[in-house]
């Protein structure tokens, strides 16, 4: 299960005692798997600032989560047929999401704790807003490219009445460069083949006898060519339509057909460049390093030593050939033993998903800190804890936590979320006597 409960409770004699008490009540009964959640000593500020910041962080939390989910879902959309591989690309700081959350450490370089809470939240907001804006721009460009390609692809499939004929017809199917004759293409339903053969010569005057030829057929229709005099075109089209034979508006032009094919190839290549993995053998990388090192070393030794002392570089050359043998054997056994380099769009999505997710977890940490100070007062003395609930025991876990911390709130029951209490953010979730926020690492919505 990839859902976590991030909670905090006030320190008793010390924070370790708070942790031990919660851990004993939950972990030993298999209600949850628990981890300490380390939050550094942040600047507290005034009560007014904390109350205002609590409301702002709630909105920022919702916004950043939406960006994280958008980036993850767009990754899935871009990878298309590789959707089963999407999860392994959704990493935070180079590790899977569960590992990152359970081993969370505050990033002092990105979010200096000497800054005020307000400044840190603004840094986070600007960072994720930039990712969101960049995603919109990149998504727009990619979707335009994808849409243009799909539009061209649709021309190559479907009914003979609408699909492109460029890949069906050939130059020899047409009478070209004639002042008087022209070749038309007619779509005829399969059930009407006999009627076509009987009537096409008499649909109008000046139809060349025995000039029809079946060029292509699909499940429903066939594409026939027919040659006639140019001045009979309109009459022939009219009579053909009356007999349910549809004349395609098509003129054979090699340059236009070549341009259409090149455009589709270009769009397809551009689309693939955004995410297709270019396979490079691990051994190729090793061999390139060894080659360079060997050549450099031999060059230096030739300058300063006689050839009789070149034993060491020859050892490298021997290693070079041994690795070549190993490479060949590995390729024979498994041609796919390779690392993957990905296109610019997928690389951008991976990097910025990581950045957005890391920012999101830092916002959760900020919310826990702010809410804990507002609830438990000063000096700052609370223990933040991350619980991964056992799905079957979630209700029981909630009851245990309620019993454990009901003394922290005089109501001792869950407060109605519709109540508006400044600083407590009840509009987004239920209120418990302990500080509670949910982190859901299940970010994909496959349909």
């Amino acid at each position: 299960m990839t859902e976590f409960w991030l909670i905090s409770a006030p320190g008793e004699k010390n924070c370790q005692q708070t942790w031990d008490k919660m851990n004993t009540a939950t972990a030993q009964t298999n209600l949850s798997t628990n981890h300490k959640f380390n939050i550094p000593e942040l600047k507290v500020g005034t009560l007014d600032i904390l109350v205002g910041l609590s409301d702002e962080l709630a909105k920022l939390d919702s916004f950043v989560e939406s960006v994280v989910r958008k980036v993850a879902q767009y990754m899935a959309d871009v990878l298309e047929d590789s959707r089963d591989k999407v999860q392994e690309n959704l990493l935070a700081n180079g590790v899977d999401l569960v590992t990152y959350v359970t081993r969370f450490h505050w990033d002092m370089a990105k979010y200096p704790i000497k800054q005020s809470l307000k400044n840190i939240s603004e840094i986070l907001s600007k960072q994720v807003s930039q990712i969101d804006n960049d995603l919109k721009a990149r998504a727009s460009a990619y979707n335009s490219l994808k849409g243009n390609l799909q539009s061209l692809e649709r021309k190559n499939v479907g009914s003979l009445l609408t699909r492109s004929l460029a890949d069906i017809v050939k130059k020899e199917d047409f009478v070209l460069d004639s002042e008087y004759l022209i070749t038309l293409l007619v779509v005829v339903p399969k059930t009407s083949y006999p009627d076509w053969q009987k009537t096409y010569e008499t649909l109008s005057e000046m139809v060349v006898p025995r000039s029809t030829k079946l060029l292509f057929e699909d499940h429903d229709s066939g594409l026939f060519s027919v040659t006639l005099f140019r001045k009979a075109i309109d009459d022939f089209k009219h009579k053909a339509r009356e007999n349910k034979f549809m004349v395609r508006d098509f003129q054979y032009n090699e340059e236009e057909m070549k341009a259409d094919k090149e455009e589709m190839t270009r769009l397809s290549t551009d689309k693939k460049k955004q995410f297709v993995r270019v396979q490079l053998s691990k051994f190729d990388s090793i061999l390139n390093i060894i080659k360079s090192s060997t050549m450099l070393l031999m060059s230096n030794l030739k300058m300063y030593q006689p050839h009789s002392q070149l034993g060491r570089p020859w050892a490298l050359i021997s290693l070079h050939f041994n690795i070549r043998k190993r490479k060949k054997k590995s390729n024979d056994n498994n041609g796919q033993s390779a690392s993957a380099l990905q296109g610019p769009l997928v690389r951008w999505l991976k990097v910025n998903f990581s950045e957005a997710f890391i920012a999101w977890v830092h916002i959760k940490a900020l919310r826990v800190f702010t809410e804990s100070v507002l609830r438990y007062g000063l000096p700052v003395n609370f223990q933040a804890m991350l619980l991964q609930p056992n799905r079957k025991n979630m209700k029981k876990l909630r009851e245990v936590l309620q019993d454990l911390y009901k003394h922290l709130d005089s109501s001792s029951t869950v407060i109605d979320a519709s109540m508006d209490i400044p600083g407590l953010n009840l509009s987004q979730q239920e209120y418990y006597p302990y500080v509670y926020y949910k982190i859901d690492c299940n970010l994909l919505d496959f349909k």
Side-chain angles (χ1 to χ4, degrees), residues 364-390:
K364 295 290 188 184
L366 276 182
R367 294 192 72 186
V368 169
F369 182 87
T370 302
E371 210 70 19
S372 297
V373 173
L374 285 172
R375 295 238 201 140
Y376 311 140
L378 294 172
V380 176
N381 181 31
F382 68 89
Q383 177 63 54
M385 299 163 282
L386 189 72
L387 286 65
Q388 186 173 8
N390 183 326

PDB file of all heavy atoms in Angstrom, residues 364-390:
ATOM      1  N   LYS A 364       4.556  19.129   2.994  1.00  0.00           N
ATOM      2  CA  LYS A 364       3.936  18.343   4.068  1.00  0.00           C
ATOM      3  C   LYS A 364       4.690  18.557   5.381  1.00  0.00           C
ATOM      4  O   LYS A 364       4.076  18.703   6.447  1.00  0.00           O
ATOM      5  CB  LYS A 364       3.946  16.852   3.705  1.00  0.00           C
ATOM      6  CG  LYS A 364       3.108  16.469   2.498  1.00  0.00           C
ATOM      7  CD  LYS A 364       1.625  16.587   2.772  1.00  0.00           C
ATOM      8  CE  LYS A 364       0.810  16.023   1.616  1.00  0.00           C
ATOM      9  NZ  LYS A 364      -0.648  16.202   1.820  1.00  0.00           N
ATOM     10  N   ALA A 365       6.019  18.578   5.286  1.00  0.00           N
ATOM     11  CA  ALA A 365       6.829  18.799   6.493  1.00  0.00           C
ATOM     12  C   ALA A 365       6.560  20.182   7.069  1.00  0.00           C
ATOM     13  O   ALA A 365       6.435  20.346   8.299  1.00  0.00           O
ATOM     14  CB  ALA A 365       8.310  18.633   6.157  1.00  0.00           C
ATOM     15  N   LEU A 366       6.475  21.190   6.196  1.00  0.00           N
ATOM     16  CA  LEU A 366       6.161  22.546   6.658  1.00  0.00           C
ATOM     17  C   LEU A 366       4.797  22.594   7.343  1.00  0.00           C
ATOM     18  O   LEU A 366       4.625  23.250   8.379  1.00  0.00           O
ATOM     19  CB  LEU A 366       6.153  23.518   5.476  1.00  0.00           C
ATOM     20  CG  LEU A 366       7.487  24.116   5.013  1.00  0.00           C
ATOM     21  CD1 LEU A 366       7.243  25.090   3.865  1.00  0.00           C
ATOM     22  CD2 LEU A 366       8.195  24.829   6.163  1.00  0.00           C
ATOM     23  N   ARG A 367       3.821  21.894   6.777  1.00  0.00           N
ATOM     24  CA  ARG A 367       2.474  21.903   7.353  1.00  0.00           C
ATOM     25  C   ARG A 367       2.466  21.231   8.725  1.00  0.00           C
ATOM     26  O   ARG A 367       1.799  21.710   9.660  1.00  0.00           O
ATOM     27  CB  ARG A 367       1.492  21.184   6.416  1.00  0.00           C
ATOM     28  CG  ARG A 367       1.275  21.886   5.099  1.00  0.00           C
ATOM     29  CD  ARG A 367       0.093  21.302   4.358  1.00  0.00           C
ATOM     30  NE  ARG A 367      -1.179  21.679   5.003  1.00  0.00           N
ATOM     31  CZ  ARG A 367      -2.369  21.212   4.644  1.00  0.00           C
ATOM     32  NH1 ARG A 367      -2.443  20.304   3.666  1.00  0.00           N
ATOM     33  NH2 ARG A 367      -3.461  21.597   5.259  1.00  0.00           N
ATOM     34  N   VAL A 368       3.183  20.126   8.835  1.00  0.00           N
ATOM     35  CA  VAL A 368       3.257  19.448  10.135  1.00  0.00           C
ATOM     36  C   VAL A 368       3.904  20.362  11.177  1.00  0.00           C
ATOM     37  O   VAL A 368       3.425  20.476  12.305  1.00  0.00           O
ATOM     38  CB  VAL A 368       4.053  18.124  10.020  1.00  0.00           C
ATOM     39  CG1 VAL A 368       4.371  17.562  11.401  1.00  0.00           C
ATOM     40  CG2 VAL A 368       3.271  17.103   9.218  1.00  0.00           C
ATOM     41  N   PHE A 369       4.994  21.017  10.789  1.00  0.00           N
ATOM     42  CA  PHE A 369       5.686  21.911  11.730  1.00  0.00           C
ATOM     43  C   PHE A 369       4.769  23.053  12.156  1.00  0.00           C
ATOM     44  O   PHE A 369       4.605  23.325  13.360  1.00  0.00           O
ATOM     45  CB  PHE A 369       6.950  22.473  11.066  1.00  0.00           C
ATOM     46  CG  PHE A 369       7.747  23.359  11.975  1.00  0.00           C
ATOM     47  CD1 PHE A 369       8.710  22.831  12.830  1.00  0.00           C
ATOM     48  CD2 PHE A 369       7.537  24.738  11.989  1.00  0.00           C
ATOM     49  CE1 PHE A 369       9.434  23.649  13.682  1.00  0.00           C
ATOM     50  CE2 PHE A 369       8.249  25.566  12.830  1.00  0.00           C
ATOM     51  CZ  PHE A 369       9.210  25.018  13.681  1.00  0.00           C
ATOM     52  N   THR A 370       4.154  23.725  11.158  1.00  0.00           N
ATOM     53  CA  THR A 370       3.298  24.875  11.458  1.00  0.00           C
ATOM     54  C   THR A 370       2.115  24.474  12.318  1.00  0.00           C
ATOM     55  O   THR A 370       1.792  25.119  13.337  1.00  0.00           O
ATOM     56  CB  THR A 370       2.794  25.497  10.137  1.00  0.00           C
ATOM     57  OG1 THR A 370       3.916  25.872   9.340  1.00  0.00           O
ATOM     58  CG2 THR A 370       1.936  26.715  10.409  1.00  0.00           C
ATOM     59  N   GLU A 371       1.453  23.386  11.940  1.00  0.00           N
ATOM     60  CA  GLU A 371       0.261  22.948  12.678  1.00  0.00           C
ATOM     61  C   GLU A 371       0.619  22.467  14.074  1.00  0.00           C
ATOM     62  O   GLU A 371      -0.143  22.679  15.039  1.00  0.00           O
ATOM     63  CB  GLU A 371      -0.428  21.842  11.885  1.00  0.00           C
ATOM     64  CG  GLU A 371      -1.925  21.769  12.057  1.00  0.00           C
ATOM     65  CD  GLU A 371      -2.632  22.953  11.412  1.00  0.00           C
ATOM     66  OE1 GLU A 371      -2.044  23.633  10.556  1.00  0.00           O
ATOM     67  OE2 GLU A 371      -3.797  23.200  11.799  1.00  0.00           O
ATOM     68  N   SER A 372       1.769  21.833  14.219  1.00  0.00           N
ATOM     69  CA  SER A 372       2.185  21.330  15.533  1.00  0.00           C
ATOM     70  C   SER A 372       2.468  22.474  16.490  1.00  0.00           C
ATOM     71  O   SER A 372       2.103  22.416  17.676  1.00  0.00           O
ATOM     72  CB  SER A 372       3.430  20.452  15.389  1.00  0.00           C
ATOM     73  OG  SER A 372       3.145  19.306  14.612  1.00  0.00           O
ATOM     74  N   VAL A 373       3.099  23.538  15.982  1.00  0.00           N
ATOM     75  CA  VAL A 373       3.361  24.706  16.837  1.00  0.00           C
ATOM     76  C   VAL A 373       2.058  25.375  17.234  1.00  0.00           C
ATOM     77  O   VAL A 373       1.866  25.780  18.383  1.00  0.00           O
ATOM     78  CB  VAL A 373       4.299  25.702  16.114  1.00  0.00           C
ATOM     79  CG1 VAL A 373       4.438  26.986  16.919  1.00  0.00           C
ATOM     80  CG2 VAL A 373       5.672  25.080  15.893  1.00  0.00           C
ATOM     81  N   LEU A 374       1.117  25.482  16.268  1.00  0.00           N
ATOM     82  CA  LEU A 374      -0.177  26.097  16.581  1.00  0.00           C
ATOM     83  C   LEU A 374      -0.955  25.270  17.597  1.00  0.00           C
ATOM     84  O   LEU A 374      -1.638  25.822  18.479  1.00  0.00           O
ATOM     85  CB  LEU A 374      -1.002  26.247  15.300  1.00  0.00           C
ATOM     86  CG  LEU A 374      -0.587  27.357  14.332  1.00  0.00           C
ATOM     87  CD1 LEU A 374      -1.376  27.249  13.039  1.00  0.00           C
ATOM     88  CD2 LEU A 374      -0.794  28.733  14.970  1.00  0.00           C
ATOM     89  N   ARG A 375      -0.854  23.959  17.509  1.00  0.00           N
ATOM     90  CA  ARG A 375      -1.640  23.097  18.404  1.00  0.00           C
ATOM     91  C   ARG A 375      -0.975  22.913  19.764  1.00  0.00           C
ATOM     92  O   ARG A 375      -1.635  22.978  20.794  1.00  0.00           O
ATOM     93  CB  ARG A 375      -1.810  21.719  17.768  1.00  0.00           C
ATOM     94  CG  ARG A 375      -2.628  21.737  16.501  1.00  0.00           C
ATOM     95  CD  ARG A 375      -3.834  20.845  16.596  1.00  0.00           C
ATOM     96  NE  ARG A 375      -4.295  20.491  15.263  1.00  0.00           N
ATOM     97  CZ  ARG A 375      -4.722  19.314  14.916  1.00  0.00           C
ATOM     98  NH1 ARG A 375      -4.729  18.325  15.797  1.00  0.00           N
ATOM     99  NH2 ARG A 375      -5.150  19.082  13.696  1.00  0.00           N
ATOM    100  N   TYR A 376       0.332  22.642  19.724  1.00  0.00           N
ATOM    101  CA  TYR A 376       1.008  22.226  20.954  1.00  0.00           C
ATOM    102  C   TYR A 376       1.771  23.349  21.641  1.00  0.00           C
ATOM    103  O   TYR A 376       2.242  23.184  22.768  1.00  0.00           O
ATOM    104  CB  TYR A 376       1.974  21.066  20.660  1.00  0.00           C
ATOM    105  CG  TYR A 376       1.356  19.940  19.854  1.00  0.00           C
ATOM    106  CD1 TYR A 376       2.075  19.298  18.845  1.00  0.00           C
ATOM    107  CD2 TYR A 376       0.041  19.513  20.078  1.00  0.00           C
ATOM    108  CE1 TYR A 376       1.515  18.263  18.100  1.00  0.00           C
ATOM    109  CE2 TYR A 376      -0.522  18.491  19.337  1.00  0.00           C
ATOM    110  CZ  TYR A 376       0.217  17.871  18.335  1.00  0.00           C
ATOM    111  OH  TYR A 376      -0.343  16.854  17.598  1.00  0.00           O
ATOM    112  N   GLY A 377       1.895  24.504  20.956  1.00  0.00           N
ATOM    113  CA  GLY A 377       2.500  25.668  21.584  1.00  0.00           C
ATOM    114  C   GLY A 377       4.026  25.642  21.568  1.00  0.00           C
ATOM    115  O   GLY A 377       4.665  24.768  20.990  1.00  0.00           O
ATOM    116  N   LEU A 378       4.592  26.656  22.240  1.00  0.00           N
ATOM    117  CA  LEU A 378       6.041  26.808  22.356  1.00  0.00           C
ATOM    118  C   LEU A 378       6.493  26.443  23.764  1.00  0.00           C
ATOM    119  O   LEU A 378       5.723  26.545  24.718  1.00  0.00           O
ATOM    120  CB  LEU A 378       6.425  28.263  22.037  1.00  0.00           C
ATOM    121  CG  LEU A 378       6.171  28.715  20.584  1.00  0.00           C
ATOM    122  CD1 LEU A 378       6.406  30.208  20.444  1.00  0.00           C
ATOM    123  CD2 LEU A 378       7.054  27.938  19.622  1.00  0.00           C
ATOM    124  N   PRO A 379       7.762  26.046  23.940  1.00  0.00           N
ATOM    125  CA  PRO A 379       8.771  25.860  22.895  1.00  0.00           C
ATOM    126  C   PRO A 379       8.422  24.661  22.001  1.00  0.00           C
ATOM    127  O   PRO A 379       7.633  23.805  22.368  1.00  0.00           O
ATOM    128  CB  PRO A 379      10.050  25.602  23.689  1.00  0.00           C
ATOM    129  CG  PRO A 379       9.567  24.987  24.962  1.00  0.00           C
ATOM    130  CD  PRO A 379       8.270  25.668  25.279  1.00  0.00           C
ATOM    131  N   VAL A 380       9.044  24.642  20.805  1.00  0.00           N
ATOM    132  CA  VAL A 380       8.774  23.569  19.850  1.00  0.00           C
ATOM    133  C   VAL A 380       9.209  22.235  20.442  1.00  0.00           C
ATOM    134  O   VAL A 380      10.371  22.033  20.785  1.00  0.00           O
ATOM    135  CB  VAL A 380       9.528  23.814  18.521  1.00  0.00           C
ATOM    136  CG1 VAL A 380       9.309  22.649  17.568  1.00  0.00           C
ATOM    137  CG2 VAL A 380       9.079  25.128  17.890  1.00  0.00           C
ATOM    138  N   ASN A 381       8.225  21.344  20.613  1.00  0.00           N
ATOM    139  CA  ASN A 381       8.520  20.039  21.210  1.00  0.00           C
ATOM    140  C   ASN A 381       7.476  19.030  20.735  1.00  0.00           C
ATOM    141  O   ASN A 381       6.439  18.841  21.369  1.00  0.00           O
ATOM    142  CB  ASN A 381       8.521  20.141  22.740  1.00  0.00           C
ATOM    143  CG  ASN A 381       8.855  18.806  23.394  1.00  0.00           C
ATOM    144  OD1 ASN A 381       9.593  17.996  22.833  1.00  0.00           O
ATOM    145  ND2 ASN A 381       8.298  18.564  24.571  1.00  0.00           N
ATOM    146  N   PHE A 382       7.768  18.425  19.587  1.00  0.00           N
ATOM    147  CA  PHE A 382       6.840  17.430  19.051  1.00  0.00           C
ATOM    148  C   PHE A 382       7.635  16.400  18.259  1.00  0.00           C
ATOM    149  O   PHE A 382       8.775  16.642  17.854  1.00  0.00           O
ATOM    150  CB  PHE A 382       5.771  18.082  18.155  1.00  0.00           C
ATOM    151  CG  PHE A 382       6.310  18.646  16.874  1.00  0.00           C
ATOM    152  CD1 PHE A 382       6.399  17.878  15.716  1.00  0.00           C
ATOM    153  CD2 PHE A 382       6.744  19.977  16.813  1.00  0.00           C
ATOM    154  CE1 PHE A 382       6.897  18.396  14.543  1.00  0.00           C
ATOM    155  CE2 PHE A 382       7.245  20.504  15.635  1.00  0.00           C
ATOM    156  CZ  PHE A 382       7.333  19.716  14.493  1.00  0.00           C
ATOM    157  N   GLN A 383       7.012  15.256  18.025  1.00  0.00           N
ATOM    158  CA  GLN A 383       7.634  14.207  17.225  1.00  0.00           C
ATOM    159  C   GLN A 383       6.775  13.954  15.999  1.00  0.00           C
ATOM    160  O   GLN A 383       5.589  13.618  16.110  1.00  0.00           O
ATOM    161  CB  GLN A 383       7.771  12.908  18.029  1.00  0.00           C
ATOM    162  CG  GLN A 383       8.352  11.735  17.247  1.00  0.00           C
ATOM    163  CD  GLN A 383       9.773  11.991  16.791  1.00  0.00           C
ATOM    164  OE1 GLN A 383      10.640  12.317  17.607  1.00  0.00           O
ATOM    165  NE2 GLN A 383      10.022  11.870  15.486  1.00  0.00           N
ATOM    166  N   ALA A 384       7.359  14.157  14.820  1.00  0.00           N
ATOM    167  CA  ALA A 384       6.664  13.838  13.566  1.00  0.00           C
ATOM    168  C   ALA A 384       6.905  12.367  13.246  1.00  0.00           C
ATOM    169  O   ALA A 384       8.032  11.873  13.353  1.00  0.00           O
ATOM    170  CB  ALA A 384       7.158  14.722  12.435  1.00  0.00           C
ATOM    171  N   MET A 385       5.842  11.672  12.822  1.00  0.00           N
ATOM    172  CA  MET A 385       5.920  10.225  12.592  1.00  0.00           C
ATOM    173  C   MET A 385       5.173   9.866  11.306  1.00  0.00           C
ATOM    174  O   MET A 385       4.111  10.425  11.016  1.00  0.00           O
ATOM    175  CB  MET A 385       5.316   9.470  13.777  1.00  0.00           C
ATOM    176  CG  MET A 385       6.051   9.733  15.092  1.00  0.00           C
ATOM    177  SD  MET A 385       5.106   9.256  16.560  1.00  0.00           S
ATOM    178  CE  MET A 385       3.938  10.618  16.709  1.00  0.00           C
ATOM    179  N   LEU A 386       5.752   8.955  10.557  1.00  0.00           N
ATOM    180  CA  LEU A 386       5.170   8.517   9.292  1.00  0.00           C
ATOM    181  C   LEU A 386       4.666   7.088   9.455  1.00  0.00           C
ATOM    182  O   LEU A 386       5.435   6.178   9.738  1.00  0.00           O
ATOM    183  CB  LEU A 386       6.221   8.584   8.183  1.00  0.00           C
ATOM    184  CG  LEU A 386       5.726   8.369   6.760  1.00  0.00           C
ATOM    185  CD1 LEU A 386       4.919   9.576   6.278  1.00  0.00           C
ATOM    186  CD2 LEU A 386       6.902   8.126   5.813  1.00  0.00           C
ATOM    187  N   LEU A 387       3.370   6.897   9.258  1.00  0.00           N
ATOM    188  CA  LEU A 387       2.759   5.581   9.403  1.00  0.00           C
ATOM    189  C   LEU A 387       2.304   5.076   8.034  1.00  0.00           C
ATOM    190  O   LEU A 387       1.653   5.808   7.277  1.00  0.00           O
ATOM    191  CB  LEU A 387       1.544   5.639  10.333  1.00  0.00           C
ATOM    192  CG  LEU A 387       1.774   5.781  11.832  1.00  0.00           C
ATOM    193  CD1 LEU A 387       2.429   7.100  12.202  1.00  0.00           C
ATOM    194  CD2 LEU A 387       0.436   5.636  12.582  1.00  0.00           C
ATOM    195  N   GLN A 388       2.658   3.849   7.714  1.00  0.00           N
ATOM    196  CA  GLN A 388       2.155   3.195   6.506  1.00  0.00           C
ATOM    197  C   GLN A 388       1.124   2.165   6.959  1.00  0.00           C
ATOM    198  O   GLN A 388       1.464   1.070   7.407  1.00  0.00           O
ATOM    199  CB  GLN A 388       3.283   2.527   5.729  1.00  0.00           C
ATOM    200  CG  GLN A 388       2.841   1.965   4.387  1.00  0.00           C
ATOM    201  CD  GLN A 388       3.996   1.451   3.555  1.00  0.00           C
ATOM    202  OE1 GLN A 388       5.127   1.371   4.039  1.00  0.00           O
ATOM    203  NE2 GLN A 388       3.743   1.090   2.311  1.00  0.00           N
ATOM    204  N   PRO A 389      -0.163   2.507   6.859  1.00  0.00           N
ATOM    205  CA  PRO A 389      -1.209   1.644   7.431  1.00  0.00           C
ATOM    206  C   PRO A 389      -1.316   0.305   6.718  1.00  0.00           C
ATOM    207  O   PRO A 389      -1.107   0.206   5.506  1.00  0.00           O
ATOM    208  CB  PRO A 389      -2.493   2.458   7.239  1.00  0.00           C
ATOM    209  CG  PRO A 389      -2.053   3.844   6.910  1.00  0.00           C
ATOM    210  CD  PRO A 389      -0.735   3.708   6.243  1.00  0.00           C
ATOM    211  N   ASN A 390      -1.638  -0.711   7.486  1.00  0.00           N
ATOM    212  CA  ASN A 390      -2.038  -1.987   6.908  1.00  0.00           C
ATOM    213  C   ASN A 390      -3.477  -1.824   6.416  1.00  0.00           C
ATOM    214  O   ASN A 390      -4.368  -1.480   7.185  1.00  0.00           O
ATOM    215  CB  ASN A 390      -1.949  -3.086   7.975  1.00  0.00           C
ATOM    216  CG  ASN A 390      -2.269  -4.458   7.427  1.00  0.00           C
ATOM    217  OD1 ASN A 390      -3.108  -4.609   6.546  1.00  0.00           O
ATOM    218  ND2 ASN A 390      -1.602  -5.469   7.960  1.00  0.00           N
TER     219      ASN A 390
END
